[in-house]
Amino acid sequence: MVIYFVFLTISAATYALFSLGLNLQWGVTGLINFGHVAFMAIGAYSTVLLSLQGVPIPIAVLVGAGLSALLGLLIGISTLRLREDYLGIVTIGVSELVRLVAKNEAWLTKGTFGVQGYPVPFDFKPDYPTRILLIVWLTAICGVALWQLWLWLRVKISARLLGGSIASIFVLTVYVCGALSLYTYDPRAGLMLLTLTTLTVVYIALEKLVHSPWGRVLKAIREDEEVPRALGKNVFWYKLQAFMLGGAIAGISGAFYAWQFSVFPDNFEPLITFNAWIIIMLGGAGNNLGTIIGAIVFWGYNTITRDESFKVVFRALHLDDTQQGAFRVMIIGLVLMLIMVLRPQGILGKKEELTLGR
């Protein structure tokens, strides 16, 4: 049970990191990206292929992030001057192009067999002092998370209280399960610690950027790009920066996705992108902490509905395995429709953050 929760934590943190990149592009800047998974695929393949060639893992991850940013540059230069709907079409096309290249260029990506046997971080057996140090490290990360939640909950909004309570319980459970796993030591516990650390660093950096003058220009572009243009801002350059940075973050998440799951072309289908859209809509567009909480809620739902006790409901409805999967997706679709009608800013977002519905 403890190891399974560690798996759940890594998955939620990886998707949260992936969704933060999309949130910067769409939630903050207003750029529609339906092919965000392409950046994740570039990051995943670059990291594992380079590490197999003996490149140190940190450098491989940075190269993957750089190549993902380069892909953002190439897409942005050619499409960011177009209308938003054209950008969405181009991005989903690019994501499928990347997946098909990975599937067919076996000389580079191993094709449909995928990449296997690559090194992963923290795959060692630490001594007792090192395990204690790792537990202290986890304590610091969870302490930062609880502190950020407390700051966020000072504004007593019912939706925030609900989301904050869920996130607080999740953080405390992560700490208990993580500390137990680190003490007995399982390599997945080390990966969990690295994932949470990366997520924390990226979150803090994005919060500083979004609330800086640079971030305020991005929000102005999202609301009405003619206003910052009239004030002398280079709107295209700001859009390109946001698109590249969001792509680089997704590239980093691709490395964790590879270490957590596997690297096969069909693992990078458009559904991964739309899962990130679901997470952002749940958490609230433009809200970084809300995006992380949205990832927790999304993976919580995904886990609970796969549990054997919940499948009693499916059997009562006489649904087979295929129908059960479709039913779970249908429920998510209905929830999103209700959110868009009742709370277009997201369950945990602020209405004043967006002009949607005005």
Side-chain angles (χ1 to χ4, degrees):
M1 181 64 184
V2 171
I3 294 301
Y4 179 75
F5 193 83
V6 168
F7 169 85
L8 175 62
T9 302
I10 299 171
S11 301
T14 300
Y15 268 77
L17 187 62
F18 178 61
S19 301
L20 283 174
L22 182 60
N23 187 52
L24 176 64
Q25 295 172 343
W26 179 68
V28 177
T29 317
L31 302 174
I32 296 178
N33 182 0
F34 291 146
H36 199 51
V37 71
F39 302 112
M40 175 185 271
I42 293 292
Y45 271 101
S46 299
T47 299
V48 299
L49 290 174
L50 288 173
S51 62
L52 281 173
Q53 298 301 316
V55 177
I57 288 178
I59 296 177
V61 174
L62 292 177
V63 171
L67 291 175
S68 298
L70 178 61
L71 177 63
L73 174 65
L74 296 176
I75 296 175
I77 287 176
S78 59
T79 61
L80 287 179
R81 289 191 174 90
L82 302 176
R83 276 179 12 199
E84 293 177 351
D85 48 354
Y86 288 115
L87 176 61
I89 293 170
V90 170
T91 52
I92 196 171
V94 170
S95 72
E96 281 298 278
L97 176 63
V98 169
R99 187 178 68 86
L100 291 174
V101 168
K103 193 171 186 176
N104 292 283
E105 299 301 321
W107 64 273
L108 176 63
T109 64
K110 315 299 182 184
T112 55
F113 294 101
V115 187
Q116 302 177 37
Y118 45 84
V120 297
F122 283 90
D123 190 12
F124 65 97
K125 190 68 175 179
D127 55 20
Y128 181 76
T130 304
R131 281 179 281 166
I132 297 299
L133 182 61
L134 292 177
I135 293 174
V136 172
W137 184 357
L138 177 64
T139 303
I141 294 297
C142 292
V144 170
L146 291 173
W147 171 253
Q148 289 295 318
L149 285 170
W150 184 83
L151 293 176
W152 193 56
L153 289 172
R154 286 188 301 177
V155 180
K156 295 183 180 180
I157 302 174
S158 57
R160 282 195 174 196
L161 290 173
L162 175 62
S165 300
I166 293 173
S168 299
I169 294 171
F170 183 81
V171 170
L172 292 173
T173 309
V174 166
Y175 178 72
V176 173
C177 294
L180 289 173
S181 299
L182 287 171
Y183 184 77
T184 57
Y185 201 75
D186 185 287
R188 285 169 290 186
L191 179 58
M192 180 196 72
L193 183 58
L194 182 59
T195 310
L196 292 175
T197 303
T198 305
L199 178 61
T200 302
V201 171
V202 171
Y203 167 77
I204 293 174
L206 282 179
E207 280 292 283
K208 291 184 178 298
L209 284 174
V210 167
H211 293 95
S212 69
W214 181 78
R216 288 192 286 273
V217 172
L218 296 184
K219 291 182 179 181
I221 292 172
R222 177 194 65 198
E223 300 302 322
D224 186 353
E225 65 180 60
E226 295 303 323
V227 174
R229 183 176 285 115
L231 294 175
K233 303 296 182 181
N234 189 333
V235 171
F236 173 76
W237 177 234
Y238 276 94
K239 284 183 176 181
L240 191 58
Q241 289 175 343
F243 202 72
M244 291 176 63
L245 181 56
I249 294 171
I252 295 173
S253 74
F256 290 102
Y257 189 89
W259 296 329
Q260 169 71 343
F261 300 103
S262 55
V263 183
F264 291 91
D266 290 340
N267 281 2
F268 301 100
E269 294 183 335
L271 178 62
I272 305 297
T273 297
F274 292 104
N275 285 341
W277 278 90
I278 292 170
I279 288 169
I280 292 174
M281 290 179 184
L282 286 172
N287 189 318
N288 290 320
L289 185 57
T291 298
I292 295 175
I293 295 176
I296 295 172
V297 173
F298 174 81
W299 270 95
Y301 168 83
N302 191 56
T303 302
I304 291 172
T305 54
R306 291 180 185 275
D307 190 77
E308 286 298 325
S309 59
F310 194 89
K311 288 185 178 181
V312 174
V313 178
F314 292 146
R315 285 193 286 268
L317 296 173
H318 304 289
L319 301 177
D320 58 30
D321 291 340
T322 303
Q323 292 171 328
Q324 289 174 17
F327 185 79
R328 292 169 59 251
V329 175
M330 183 187 73
I331 295 299
I332 292 177
L334 290 174
V335 170
L336 289 179
M337 289 170 62
L338 290 174
I339 290 174
M340 296 306 295
V341 172
L342 302 176
R343 287 186 63 86
Q345 72 273 30
I347 295 176
L348 307 175
K350 297 184 295 183
K351 193 169 182 60
E352 61 270 23
E353 179 70 18
L354 298 176
T355 57
L356 293 170
R358 290 185 183 177

